[in-house]
Amino acid sequence: MPIIHVYLWSGVSKEAKVKIVKGITRVFEELGIPSQAVEIIIHEIPRENWSIGEELASEKFKNVKTP
Amino acid sequence: MPIIHVYLWSGVSKEAKVKIVKGITRVFEELGIPSQAVEIIIHEIPRENWSIGEELASEKFKNVKTP
Amino acid sequence: MPIIHVYLWSGVSKEAKVKIVKGITRVFEELGIPSQAVEIIIHEIPRENWSIGEELASEKFKNVKTP
Amino acid sequence: MPIIHVYLWSGVSKEAKVKIVKGITRVFEELGIPSQAVEIIIHEIPRENWSIGEELASEKFKNVKTP
Amino acid sequence: MPIIHVYLWSGVSKEAKVKIVKGITRVFEELGIPSQAVEIIIHEIPRENWSIGEELASEKFKNVKTP
Amino acid sequence: MPIIHVYLWSGVSKEAKVKIVKGITRVFEELGIPSQAVEIIIHEIPRENWSIGEELASEKFKNVKTP
């Protein structure tokens, strides 16, 4: 406790993954939760499988870089 | 708002993905929600990782085509 | 197959729920999937538990009606 | 993009919710993602519905406070 | 690891919850995973928020009891 | 009903998947639910996308085998 599922586009660098899990874990530590209790899963989703405003992200955001 | 997670078997064509996101987005538009607010994630799951009635779909439905 | 999880704000009318499940099921029927195979879960989330742009929806969208 | 689902025990104060959504949003902003794109859902789960090591949290952690 | 999300209809007794978490945890123990690593969340969903074959479970299964 | 999402590290053998779906389905059968109603999705997550205690499992558990 807590469990966090993060969904973002595929292609996240390992460096970004480390920043994500360290950053989110710290948010809960600051609320008094021991870091060992914080479990995070990062789900990388192909842009072709993600839509906003009925358009696939592979079209709508084809020039946006993944961190 | 809303966020929709769709889980189905791997191997969905891009054409089917477009139909899924357009169709689902329209359902919410008809309820008065702006389409830009509708975010959909399609999760493609290998049949070997999906069971119904304690049997893997890779066995039980090995002759069924994915749309 | 498929399974769909819909997340939206609490307070959805029964009439809107019926429209959501009928509309989404039809999207998959039109792809050749039998309607009996389509399973949908609607998760109603209090606005105080939903943020966009680091602001709780209970503040940011306090004047927006749920369908 | 990204979408984050946070699961924790019921009884989170509004102050803690604000800290959670601000803190997590900032993690993604620091990776170059605009804060308006970050959507977070907090799921509050009764301890009786959460187990660790085959024991319900309502028993195992009955003296632990929720933040 | 692993994390298991169980979705079923509201109204599960505490006795059934204990059986669910003990039973599922044992499945993973038998694969060599320590029970302390198994975390399970039970999501109770109102029947009015669950559809099968485009019909709300509150209608379709109104005479079926929850365990 | 019920729907179960299982999240574990990538690299699960087919034999282990069969044990997982048979074992979990049986838990619900013992509660009086017909096995045909039990639907399970196994999500295999790369260790690099899973953290416990702010450390990626690819580092923290690099010597632990997946079942």
Side-chain angles (χ1 to χ4, degrees), chain A residues 5 9 12 17 21 27 37 40 55 67:
Chain A
H5 290 271
W9 298 335
V12 186
K17 289 175 188 174
V21 304
V27 170
I40 303 170
E55 220 182 327

Side-chain angles (χ1 to χ4, degrees), chain C residues 14 17 36 39-40 42, chain E residues 48-51 53 59-60:
Chain C
K14 189 169 171 188
K17 289 175 188 174
Q36 285 306 317
E39 203 153 354
I40 304 170
I42 299 174
Chain E
E48 199 181 286
N49 288 20
W50 190 308
S51 79
E59 306 299 316
K60 186 170 182 145

Side-chain angles (χ1 to χ4, degrees), chain B residues 7 45 48-56 58-60, chain F residues 14 17 21-22 25 35-36 38-44:
Chain B
Y7 297 88
I45 309 289
E48 199 181 288
N49 287 19
W50 191 308
S51 79
I52 302 176
E54 81 166 21
E55 220 181 326
L56 299 180
S58 50
E59 307 299 316
K60 186 170 182 145
Chain F
K14 188 169 170 187
K17 289 175 189 174
V21 304
K22 282 197 185 303
T25 304
S35 71
Q36 285 306 317
V38 181
E39 203 153 354
I40 303 170
I41 301 177
I42 299 174
H43 302 265
E44 295 185 79

Side-chain angles (χ1 to χ4, degrees), chain C residues 7-66:
Chain C
Y7 297 88
L8 35 62
W9 297 335
S10 295
V12 185
S13 69
K14 189 169 171 188
E15 199 192 330
K17 289 175 188 174
V18 169
K19 284 182 183 165
I20 289 169
V21 304
K22 283 196 185 301
I24 294 179
T25 304
R26 197 168 327 118
V27 171
F28 291 98
E29 273 188 294
E30 281 166 11
L31 292 169
I33 294 171
S35 72
Q36 285 306 317
V38 182
E39 203 153 354
I40 304 170
I41 301 177
I42 299 174
H43 302 266
E44 295 185 79
I45 309 290
R47 290 182 194 210
E48 198 182 288
N49 287 20
W50 192 307
S51 78
I52 301 175
E54 82 164 20
E55 220 181 327
L56 299 180
S58 51
E59 307 300 315
K60 186 171 181 144
F61 297 104
K62 72 176 130 193
N63 299 317
V64 178
K65 258 187 63 184
T66 300

Side-chain angles (χ1 to χ4, degrees), chain A residues 31-61:
Chain A
L31 291 170
I33 294 170
S35 71
Q36 285 306 318
V38 182
E39 203 153 354
I40 303 170
I41 301 177
I42 298 174
H43 302 265
E44 294 185 79
I45 309 290
R47 291 181 194 211
E48 199 182 287
N49 288 20
W50 190 308
S51 79
I52 302 177
E54 82 166 18
E55 220 182 327
L56 300 181
S58 51
E59 307 300 315
K60 187 171 181 144
F61 297 105

